[in-house]
mmCIF file of all heavy atoms in Angstrom:
data_model
loop_
_atom_site.group_PDB
_atom_site.id
_atom_site.type_symbol
_atom_site.label_atom_id
_atom_site.label_comp_id
_atom_site.label_asym_id
_atom_site.label_seq_id
_atom_site.Cartn_x
_atom_site.Cartn_y
_atom_site.Cartn_z
ATOM 1 N N THR A 186 162.074 28.217 124.081
ATOM 2 C CA THR A 186 163.515 28.094 124.214
ATOM 3 C C THR A 186 164.062 26.769 123.679
ATOM 4 O O THR A 186 163.630 25.695 124.102
ATOM 5 C CB THR A 186 163.908 28.256 125.690
ATOM 6 O OG1 THR A 186 163.384 29.512 126.159
ATOM 7 C CG2 THR A 186 165.402 28.224 125.877
ATOM 8 N N TYR A 187 165.043 26.871 122.756
ATOM 9 C CA TYR A 187 165.755 25.713 122.211
ATOM 10 C C TYR A 187 167.052 25.530 122.993
ATOM 11 O O TYR A 187 167.915 26.418 122.992
ATOM 12 C CB TYR A 187 166.112 25.938 120.744
ATOM 13 C CG TYR A 187 164.979 25.874 119.760
ATOM 14 C CD1 TYR A 187 164.015 26.883 119.690
ATOM 15 C CD2 TYR A 187 164.879 24.821 118.849
ATOM 16 C CE1 TYR A 187 162.988 26.835 118.771
ATOM 17 C CE2 TYR A 187 163.860 24.769 117.911
ATOM 18 C CZ TYR A 187 162.906 25.785 117.879
ATOM 19 O OH TYR A 187 161.893 25.740 116.959
ATOM 20 N N LEU A 188 167.223 24.376 123.621
ATOM 21 C CA LEU A 188 168.402 24.092 124.429
ATOM 22 C C LEU A 188 169.335 23.123 123.706
ATOM 23 O O LEU A 188 168.901 22.104 123.169
ATOM 24 C CB LEU A 188 167.985 23.487 125.775
ATOM 25 C CG LEU A 188 167.077 24.362 126.645
ATOM 26 C CD1 LEU A 188 166.542 23.568 127.813
ATOM 27 C CD2 LEU A 188 167.817 25.603 127.121
ATOM 28 N N ASN A 189 170.614 23.437 123.710
ATOM 29 C CA ASN A 189 171.632 22.568 123.142
ATOM 30 C C ASN A 189 171.834 21.346 124.027
ATOM 31 O O ASN A 189 172.024 21.483 125.246
ATOM 32 C CB ASN A 189 172.972 23.322 123.098
ATOM 33 C CG ASN A 189 173.426 23.629 121.694
ATOM 34 O OD1 ASN A 189 173.094 22.923 120.750
ATOM 35 N ND2 ASN A 189 174.195 24.693 121.556
ATOM 36 N N VAL A 190 171.784 20.166 123.451
ATOM 37 C CA VAL A 190 172.139 18.940 124.178
ATOM 38 C C VAL A 190 173.067 18.121 123.283
ATOM 39 O O VAL A 190 173.082 18.277 122.063
ATOM 40 C CB VAL A 190 170.891 18.113 124.569
ATOM 41 C CG1 VAL A 190 170.007 18.886 125.540
ATOM 42 C CG2 VAL A 190 170.092 17.672 123.346
ATOM 43 N N GLU A 191 173.845 17.238 123.911
ATOM 44 C CA GLU A 191 174.772 16.417 123.133
ATOM 45 C C GLU A 191 174.025 15.351 122.335
ATOM 46 O O GLU A 191 174.318 15.117 121.166
ATOM 47 C CB GLU A 191 175.797 15.759 124.061
ATOM 48 C CG GLU A 191 176.743 14.788 123.386
ATOM 49 C CD GLU A 191 177.659 15.446 122.359
ATOM 50 O OE1 GLU A 191 177.772 16.694 122.349
ATOM 51 O OE2 GLU A 191 178.248 14.712 121.549
ATOM 52 N N ASP A 192 173.022 14.706 122.994
ATOM 53 C CA ASP A 192 172.224 13.681 122.322
ATOM 54 C C ASP A 192 170.896 13.600 123.070
ATOM 55 O O ASP A 192 170.858 13.169 124.216
ATOM 56 C CB ASP A 192 172.943 12.337 122.347
ATOM 57 C CG ASP A 192 172.166 11.231 121.628
ATOM 58 O OD1 ASP A 192 170.969 11.420 121.347
ATOM 59 O OD2 ASP A 192 172.764 10.173 121.364
ATOM 60 N N VAL A 193 169.824 14.025 122.406
ATOM 61 C CA VAL A 193 168.534 14.122 123.087
ATOM 62 C C VAL A 193 168.061 12.769 123.607
ATOM 63 O O VAL A 193 167.285 12.701 124.572
ATOM 64 C CB VAL A 193 167.484 14.768 122.148
ATOM 65 C CG1 VAL A 193 166.988 13.767 121.113
ATOM 66 C CG2 VAL A 193 166.328 15.372 122.934
ATOM 67 N N THR A 194 168.520 11.684 123.023
ATOM 68 C CA THR A 194 168.087 10.360 123.483
ATOM 69 C C THR A 194 168.795 9.933 124.766
ATOM 70 O O THR A 194 168.404 8.943 125.388
ATOM 71 C CB THR A 194 168.351 9.288 122.404
ATOM 72 O OG1 THR A 194 169.767 9.102 122.244
ATOM 73 C CG2 THR A 194 167.732 9.676 121.081
ATOM 74 N N LYS A 195 169.833 10.676 125.175
ATOM 75 C CA LYS A 195 170.597 10.314 126.367
ATOM 76 C C LYS A 195 170.299 11.223 127.562
ATOM 77 O O LYS A 195 170.828 10.984 128.652
ATOM 78 C CB LYS A 195 172.098 10.361 126.066
ATOM 79 C CG LYS A 195 172.551 9.427 124.943
ATOM 80 C CD LYS A 195 172.336 7.965 125.305
ATOM 81 C CE LYS A 195 173.055 7.023 124.352
ATOM 82 N NZ LYS A 195 172.543 7.095 122.972
ATOM 83 N N ILE A 196 169.492 12.251 127.380
ATOM 84 C CA ILE A 196 169.223 13.187 128.471
ATOM 85 C C ILE A 196 168.040 12.698 129.310
ATOM 86 O O ILE A 196 167.298 11.792 128.906
ATOM 87 C CB ILE A 196 168.927 14.611 127.949
ATOM 88 C CG1 ILE A 196 167.630 14.631 127.129
ATOM 89 C CG2 ILE A 196 170.100 15.143 127.133
ATOM 90 C CD1 ILE A 196 167.151 16.013 126.763
ATOM 91 N N ALA A 197 167.866 13.306 130.478
ATOM 92 C CA ALA A 197 166.692 13.070 131.318
ATOM 93 C C ALA A 197 166.176 14.420 131.796
ATOM 94 O O ALA A 197 166.964 15.306 132.142
ATOM 95 C CB ALA A 197 167.047 12.188 132.512
ATOM 96 N N VAL A 198 164.860 14.576 131.779
ATOM 97 C CA VAL A 198 164.225 15.834 132.188
ATOM 98 C C VAL A 198 163.523 15.603 133.518
ATOM 99 O O VAL A 198 162.616 14.774 133.620
ATOM 100 C CB VAL A 198 163.229 16.325 131.117
ATOM 101 C CG1 VAL A 198 162.600 17.648 131.550
ATOM 102 C CG2 VAL A 198 163.938 16.488 129.765
ATOM 103 N N HIS A 199 163.957 16.342 134.526
ATOM 104 C CA HIS A 199 163.418 16.210 135.880
ATOM 105 C C HIS A 199 162.534 17.421 136.212
ATOM 106 O O HIS A 199 162.714 18.493 135.664
ATOM 107 C CB HIS A 199 164.552 16.131 136.903
ATOM 108 C CG HIS A 199 165.517 15.019 136.669
ATOM 109 N ND1 HIS A 199 165.377 13.771 137.222
ATOM 110 C CD2 HIS A 199 166.650 14.967 135.916
ATOM 111 C CE1 HIS A 199 166.377 12.996 136.848
ATOM 112 N NE2 HIS A 199 167.161 13.698 136.039
ATOM 113 N N GLY A 200 161.623 17.217 137.162
ATOM 114 C CA GLY A 200 160.843 18.328 137.702
ATOM 115 C C GLY A 200 159.372 18.295 137.357
ATOM 116 O O GLY A 200 158.600 19.095 137.877
ATOM 117 N N LEU A 201 158.957 17.357 136.503
ATOM 118 C CA LEU A 201 157.559 17.318 136.077
ATOM 119 C C LEU A 201 156.832 16.053 136.535
ATOM 120 O O LEU A 201 155.671 15.841 136.171
ATOM 121 C CB LEU A 201 157.474 17.471 134.552
ATOM 122 C CG LEU A 201 157.938 18.846 134.053
ATOM 123 C CD1 LEU A 201 158.145 18.831 132.543
ATOM 124 C CD2 LEU A 201 156.955 19.939 134.448
ATOM 125 N N HIS A 202 157.504 15.233 137.340
ATOM 126 C CA HIS A 202 156.851 14.043 137.899
ATOM 127 C C HIS A 202 155.619 14.454 138.709
ATOM 128 O O HIS A 202 155.655 15.409 139.473
ATOM 129 C CB HIS A 202 157.823 13.280 138.797
ATOM 130 C CG HIS A 202 157.171 12.196 139.614
ATOM 131 N ND1 HIS A 202 156.693 11.029 139.046
ATOM 132 C CD2 HIS A 202 156.888 12.118 140.940
ATOM 133 C CE1 HIS A 202 156.159 10.270 139.992
ATOM 134 N NE2 HIS A 202 156.271 10.910 141.151
ATOM 135 N N GLY A 203 154.524 13.731 138.508
ATOM 136 C CA GLY A 203 153.299 14.005 139.250
ATOM 137 C C GLY A 203 152.395 15.043 138.622
ATOM 138 O O GLY A 203 151.290 15.281 139.112
ATOM 139 N N THR A 204 152.839 15.659 137.522
ATOM 140 C CA THR A 204 151.996 16.618 136.817
ATOM 141 C C THR A 204 151.220 15.887 135.716
ATOM 142 O O THR A 204 151.373 14.677 135.515
ATOM 143 C CB THR A 204 152.844 17.744 136.201
ATOM 144 O OG1 THR A 204 153.715 17.188 135.202
ATOM 145 C CG2 THR A 204 153.681 18.441 137.270
#
Side-chain angles (χ1 to χ4, degrees):
T186 305
Y187 287 72
L188 300 170
N189 248 333
V190 296
E191 175 64 15
D192 181 346
V193 77
T194 68
K195 301 296 193 296
I196 65 171
V198 181
H199 303 269
L201 294 167
H202 169 71
T204 64

